[in-house]
Amino acid sequence: MATRVRPAAINLTPNAERRVADLMAKAPTDAIGVKLSTPRRGCSGLAYSVDYVTAANPMDERIETPGGTFFVDGGSILYLIGSTMDWVEDDFTAGFVFANPNAKGACGCGESFTV
């Protein structure tokens, strides 16, 4: 019986992968990767948070990118499956942008979302 390859919990665009590489190039010496989580915060309940990670958690999803390891918090995966993460810069702002098919709504300021 053939086994299916499980798709990644989240897809990173080439711009997001380049930003992970930039972050890892400037990372503290004890950082082993960059991690995405969805802590409870904001008007709608959940927010996206990207931070350095210093120890691997076996419950986290691990995605190898050309510039370093990207982790997705194990407790956040259900909120993120099928999402795409991009890095967008313009004259006034720069940041990660998420296309999340699981989000049912977002607050007016765009900081948080609900599923």
Side-chain angles (χ1 to χ4, degrees), residues 12 15-25 33-34 50 52 65 67-70 85 96:
L12 280 71
N15 283 342
E17 287 184 349
R18 279 191 289 279
R19 183 61 182 160
V20 168
D22 291 345
L23 289 169
M24 288 309 297
V34 176
V50 179
Y52 291 113
T65 73
T69 305
F70 184 78
M85 182 172 128
F96 287 110

Side-chain angles (χ1 to χ4, degrees), residues 16 47 50 59 64 73:
V50 179
M59 299 304 291
E64 297 300 332
D73 175 67

Side-chain angles (χ1 to χ4, degrees), residues 42-75:
C43 327
S44 293
L46 297 170
Y48 300 105
S49 179
V50 179
D51 297 295
Y52 291 113
V53 63
T54 58
N57 179 333
M59 299 304 291
D60 291 346
E61 177 87 8
R62 183 183 190 120
I63 301 170
E64 297 300 332
T65 73
T69 305
F70 184 78
F71 295 89
V72 179
D73 175 67

Side-chain angles (χ1 to χ4, degrees), residues 38-48 79-80 83 98-115:
T38 56
R40 297 204 172 278
R41 114 175 134 224
C43 327
S44 293
L46 297 170
Y48 300 105
Y79 307 128
L80 298 168
S83 296
F98 298 87
N100 185 343
N102 306 296
K104 301 297 182 224
C107 65
C109 65
E111 179 173 321
S112 61
F113 68 100
T114 185
V115 290

Side-chain angles (χ1 to χ4, degrees), residues 3 7 25 27 31 35 37 43 50-51 55 65 78 86 95 97 108 115:
T3 57
K35 183 175 181 175
S37 60
C43 327
V50 179
D51 297 295
T65 73
L78 288 177
D86 195 9
V97 176
V115 290

